[in-house]
Amino acid sequence: MELDIQTARRIIAVALETGQARAMKPLSVVVLDAGGHPIAFERADGASPGRFEIARGKAYGAVMLGMGGRAQAERAAVGPTFMAAVNGAFGGRLVPVPGGVLVRDQGGRVIGAVGVTGDTSDNDAVAALAGIESVGLTGEA
């Protein structure tokens, strides 16, 4: 299975609904394909305009490094030089914190990533996982 526009839109809708249901601050959500290219993005009313780049950076780090944002943050804490070098190699496009969630298909293959921003990083990850799980895929936060 590949991520298509309809699946991406459903992930986004559920992530935004999850944010509203849990009284989170306005969220922004992006879905990237396995190559790190945006499939879809949506910003809730009231979300700040710079949120696209943050959401994309969270998801981009997940798909490019093959690890969720939480694992990236842990790696950065123990090896900040490595993470800084990797971020430099990717033109500063990584945001290595929770909220960047790797998406795997039923066979465990990486097919993309979801980036959510707007609330705490942990809450962002909760919303991303809800969206991913709603379409029968597995998220790795």
Side-chain angles (χ1 to χ4, degrees), residues 3-47:
L3 285 173
D4 59 20
I5 188 69
Q6 294 299 71
T7 304
R9 286 178 177 154
R10 177 71 184 145
I11 290 169
I12 290 170
V14 171
L16 292 173
E17 290 166 9
T18 299
Q20 289 177 335
R22 293 177 178 240
M24 294 180 193
K25 294 177 183 171
L27 300 179
S28 296
V29 186
V30 69
V31 178
L32 306 183
D33 66 17
H37 304 101
I39 299 171
F41 170 77
E42 192 165 334
R43 182 171 58 95
D45 291 340

Side-chain angles (χ1 to χ4, degrees), residues 20-84:
Q20 289 177 335
R22 293 177 178 240
M24 294 180 193
K25 294 177 183 171
L27 300 179
S28 296
V29 186
V30 69
V31 178
L32 306 183
D33 66 17
H37 304 101
I39 299 171
F41 170 77
E42 192 165 334
R43 182 171 58 95
D45 291 340
S48 60
R51 293 293 176 172
F52 172 76
E53 293 300 337
I54 298 167
R56 182 173 63 174
K58 288 181 174 189
Y60 192 78
V63 78
M64 288 298 140
L65 297 177
M67 65 176 79
R70 187 164 286 112
Q72 292 176 60
E74 291 168 3
R75 181 69 190 263
V78 298
T81 302
F82 170 78
M83 193 56 77

